[in-house]
Amino acid sequence: MASSSGLGESRRKFLRYLALSPALASPALLSGSLRDALSLYLYDDPLQKTDSGSESIASPEQALNVMEFEAVARKKLPPGHFAYLASGVDDDATVQLNHEAYQHIAIRSRRLIDVEKLDSSVELFGTRWETPIFLCPVSSMKAFDPEGEVAVARAAAKQRHLQMLSTVGSSSIEDVTAARGAPVWQQLYPTNDWAVTRALIKRAEAAGSPALVFTIDHQENANNETISRGRRVDSRDCSLCHSGGFSAYLRKKPMFKGMDVSKVTQLYAPNFTWEFVKRLKDATAMKLVLKGIVTREDAEIAVEHGVDGIVVSNHGGRAEDTLRSTIDCLPEVVGAVKGKIPVLLDGGIRRGTDIFKALALGATAVGIGRPQAWGLAAFGQSGVEAVLVILRRELEKIMRQAGTPSIRSITRTSVTL
Ligand SMILES: Cc1cc2nc3c(=O)[nH]c(=O)nc-3n(C[C@H](O)[C@H](O)[C@H](O)COP(=O)(O)O)c2cc1C
């Protein structure tokens, strides 16, 4: 006989399934009281839920999948820091949809194809990577582990993955590059002061960064309610790290060290337009990648402006709520770009099959944000390594199963929408 909590869980799963079924998923159809009634079941409280549904693991080797690191991270981190990691905006609906959207895509496996030798490598700007899985820029990673981005860099080096570094990371590009043993891609929050923008660019160039990833999807002051709820239950004295306002915050960030940040009031200015993209293009020989494009219109304008690459991203649901999932946005962006520049994707990637589906719909490479931080918070460098190993293993498993021995052989016909 099912336990009452088991019954609750299966009812919850059924209602979730109902709410997410294609017939009801459209906001136009799923509206008003029905949506209200189902919303309870649609959107879990990230401070409570356990994706893996299992007891937490004691070592990285025990992990069956990357979600199991989330449960350990939740236990180990102070509530304020876990909430910072988990948070989206408003009801965190975009966070959830980013992953759940993959459940509506099915894989079309082909049989009797020689998959003995597998090649999961991809090329980006003339560099060949063994795997299409990259590490997204994630800010303030020392909130999850004392070694922060440096531990991530060591894991990326050991497992040979592309890493992107946040402008507001808690480690400098010089330290991260040294730990990676190779250049990383620098993510850019340009700020509202061009002198600082220029200094950030020069610093990335001096560190050998081949690409500058301009994040264009995050205006200031997002409504991160999950962060606020986490803070409410965090009884520690956090004033050492969290006092002094915005300029004190910036001065603590290693990427701004030695820069005059007295005129900086914003990381992303609300008056940025495509003119600013032109200005960035003219200011550097690094490849310019725009992170945060979710429409065909913007993808077309990006190509017209000579942008070198796009990341289809919604900031892991941290900027706007009730967006489409990134996987839903991918086909129109890929269609608009017409193969002229690489289209990367992130958001909600938790399984090798998710990566496979994104590749099938035209992504050149696929990034993970939260899973790397779960691994880091749970077990430091070895946790990040385990996350990368699991995702790569899962991807290679489904490539074999689906009869697709190379990334090129994963095509639109490999999935149904
Ligand atoms: C805690 C946290 C901090 C982040 N910081 C940045 C950042 O500094 N710059 C940036 O471009 N994106 C940032 N992101 C977004 C990620 O780069 C990425 O787009 C997103 O996490 C992908 O979704 P996922 O977490 O579901 O994998 C952050 C995400 C998280 C969870």
Side-chain angles (χ1 to χ4, degrees):
M1 205 174 103
S3 68
S4 59
S5 67
L7 261 181
E9 183 55 25
S10 50
R11 195 176 59 152
R12 182 186 182 82
K13 274 192 178 146
F14 171 69
L15 285 167
R16 250 170 119 95
Y17 166 79
L18 198 66
L20 289 164
S21 80
L24 288 173
S26 151
L29 291 171
L30 179 60
S31 59
S33 56
L34 178 57
R35 189 178 181 91
D36 288 348
L38 293 178
S39 65
L40 234 172
Y41 298 94
L42 260 176
Y43 310 123
D44 294 312
D45 178 354
L47 298 180
Q48 303 296 330
K49 82 182 165 82
T50 303
D51 270 353
S52 63
S54 64
E55 291 305 308
S56 77
I57 50 172
S59 72
E61 296 74 37
Q62 290 178 343
L64 297 175
N65 57 54
V66 303
M67 281 79 75
E68 292 194 326
F69 293 91
E70 185 186 18
V72 185
R74 185 185 291 104
K75 272 191 188 156
K76 284 198 174 172
L77 290 176
H81 288 193
F82 183 76
Y84 171 66
L85 174 55
S87 191
V89 286
D90 298 350
D91 302 311
D92 296 349
T94 308
V95 182
Q96 305 254 354
L97 282 177
N98 269 348
H99 178 60
E100 283 164 350
Y102 286 95
Q103 313 313 314
H104 300 302
I105 303 171
I107 293 170
R108 297 179 72 246
S109 287
R110 298 292 308 278
R111 309 301 185 203
L112 292 171
I113 291 169
D114 181 355
V115 289
E116 197 177 355
K117 283 202 193 89
L118 220 58
D119 176 7
S120 56
S121 69
V122 293
E123 197 181 302
L124 279 170
F125 304 139
T127 300
R128 187 148 281 280
W129 298 92
E130 279 179 37
T131 151
I133 305 165
F134 69 89
L135 293 150
C136 297
V138 173
S139 54
S140 308
M141 290 196 95
K142 286 189 181 169
F144 313 130
D145 175 87
E147 290 195 298
E149 297 81 359
V150 167
V152 175
R154 288 199 198 109
K158 208 141 164 225
Q159 300 304 326
R160 300 170 300 283
H161 288 253
L162 165 63
Q163 181 183 5
M164 299 180 187
L165 177 68
S166 168
T167 312
V168 283
S170 32
S171 310
S172 69
I173 191 166
E174 294 80 11
D175 288 348
V176 170
T177 305
R180 176 64 184 83
V184 296
W185 290 15
Q186 178 64 58
Q187 179 265 337
L188 180 72
Y189 285 131
T191 82
N192 58 326
D193 179 357
W194 180 252
V196 171
T197 313
R198 214 173 30 213
L200 288 168
I201 292 172
K202 294 294 159 217
R203 196 162 170 186
E205 283 173 345
S209 186
L212 189 67
V213 182
F214 174 28
T215 299
I216 56 172
D217 63 3
H218 205 300
Q219 302 280 343
E220 302 282 307
N221 300 321
N223 182 38
N224 307 113
E225 292 185 12
T226 294
I227 295 184
S228 304
R229 279 201 302 278
R231 279 197 196 126
R232 267 198 316 233
V233 294
D234 201 325
S235 53
R236 299 165 310 140
D237 175 7
C238 302
S239 54
L240 191 64
C241 300
H242 299 284
S243 61
F246 182 68
S247 53
Y249 163 82
L250 270 195
R251 278 182 240 280
K252 282 178 204 138
K253 296 291 177 189
M255 277 309 287
F256 292 91
K257 196 162 178 222
M259 295 178 198
D260 174 7
V261 291
S262 57
K263 295 196 194 82
V264 177
T265 53
Q266 286 156 324
L267 288 171
Y268 181 93
N271 62 359
F272 283 153
T273 64
W274 291 98
E275 277 302 305
F276 190 78
V277 171
K278 224 188 277 166
R279 198 170 184 188
L280 285 178
K281 268 297 286 175
D282 292 343
T284 182
M286 284 184 282
K287 299 288 184 193
L288 182 64
V289 176
L290 295 189
K291 177 172 182 280
I293 296 237
V294 289
T295 61
R296 77 168 64 79
E297 295 90 328
D298 286 344
E300 279 165 6
I301 303 172
V303 171
E304 281 162 23
H305 278 72
V307 163
D308 300 291
I310 282 174
V311 187
V312 172
S313 176
N314 54 34
H315 221 102
R318 295 168 80 80
E320 303 119 329
D321 216 17
T322 71
L323 286 193
R324 291 179 298 165
S325 64
T326 50
I327 194 67
D328 282 342
C329 302
L330 180 65
E332 69 175 64
V333 172
V334 167
V337 161
K338 298 188 174 68
K340 289 179 189 147
I341 55 173
V343 177
L344 291 69
L345 169 136
D346 70 29
I349 297 290
R350 305 292 181 261
R351 285 282 189 187
T353 47
D354 301 339
I355 300 168
F356 182 92
K357 290 169 187 178
L359 295 169
L361 293 175
T364 310
V366 178
I368 52 164
R370 291 181 185 85
Q372 60 170 300
W374 297 336
L376 181 69
F379 303 109
Q381 177 189 336
S382 58
V384 184
E385 276 186 53
V387 163
L388 293 170
V389 167
I390 290 170
L391 286 175
R392 183 167 173 182
R393 187 174 65 218
E394 288 181 352
L395 171 63
E396 294 185 349
K397 249 189 219 311
I398 188 60
M399 284 175 71
R400 273 218 166 82
Q401 276 301 133
T404 50
S406 65
I407 299 294
R408 201 177 314 126
S409 64
I410 306 172
T411 65
R412 178 65 187 79
T413 61
S414 305
V415 293
T416 55
L417 278 179

